[in-house]
Amino acid sequence: MKKGKKKKENEYTRKKIVDEFTELPISRQQKWQLRRAKEGRCVICGEPKVTAWHCLKHAVANREWARKYSHSVRRNKTLTYRLAEEVKGKGKPKAAKAK
């Protein structure tokens, strides 16, 4: 077995990200989420966001989780419902009206 050369204590493989979140006393995951939110991306997957924190896919998942958690029955016309309808409607070609 060959012995590899020892790394210095201060030697890193990546450069440290220095921004306004660096010195906050929070976990690295929370810093990652704050950076994504600042960039306008989903805090879960990194896609462009449509709500304050999530892309459409994760906003709908979060909405349905909240409905299940609170035992909600009503479906109000909130932002996620309207956006989901727009996306669903874009996939189908509009039928011509018959005269």
Side-chain angles (χ1 to χ4, degrees), residues 5-17:
K5 65 179 183 179
K6 291 184 180 181
K7 283 188 175 182
K8 295 179 186 176
E9 269 187 48
N10 296 337
E11 192 175 318
Y12 295 105
T13 56
R14 294 178 183 245
K15 290 189 177 189
K16 187 175 183 179
I17 298 171

Side-chain angles (χ1 to χ4, degrees), residues 2 41 52 74:
K2 292 183 180 179
R41 297 165 57 191
R74 292 175 55 187

Side-chain angles (χ1 to χ4, degrees), residues 48-60:
K49 65 182 181 179
V50 295
T51 63
W53 288 86
H54 298 107
C55 64
L56 182 60
K57 179 177 111 177
H58 290 109
V60 169

Side-chain angles (χ1 to χ4, degrees), residues 85-98:
E85 278 296 317
E86 283 182 24
V87 171
K88 188 193 269 186
K90 284 184 180 178
K92 297 178 184 177
K94 293 184 179 181
K97 291 184 179 181

Side-chain angles (χ1 to χ4, degrees), residues 24-69:
L24 293 177
I26 56 177
S27 68
R28 63 181 178 80
Q29 292 91 348
Q30 186 66 29
K31 289 177 188 178
W32 187 88
Q33 288 182 335
L34 290 171
R35 287 181 182 121
R36 294 300 166 276
K38 182 182 174 192
E39 294 171 358
R41 297 165 57 191
C42 176
V43 296
I44 298 173
C45 65
E47 293 291 318
K49 65 182 181 179
V50 295
T51 63
W53 288 86
H54 298 107
C55 64
L56 182 60
K57 179 177 111 177
H58 290 109
V60 169
N62 188 52
R63 177 195 71 205
E64 293 303 319
W65 173 86
R67 288 185 72 249
K68 185 178 178 183
Y69 182 80

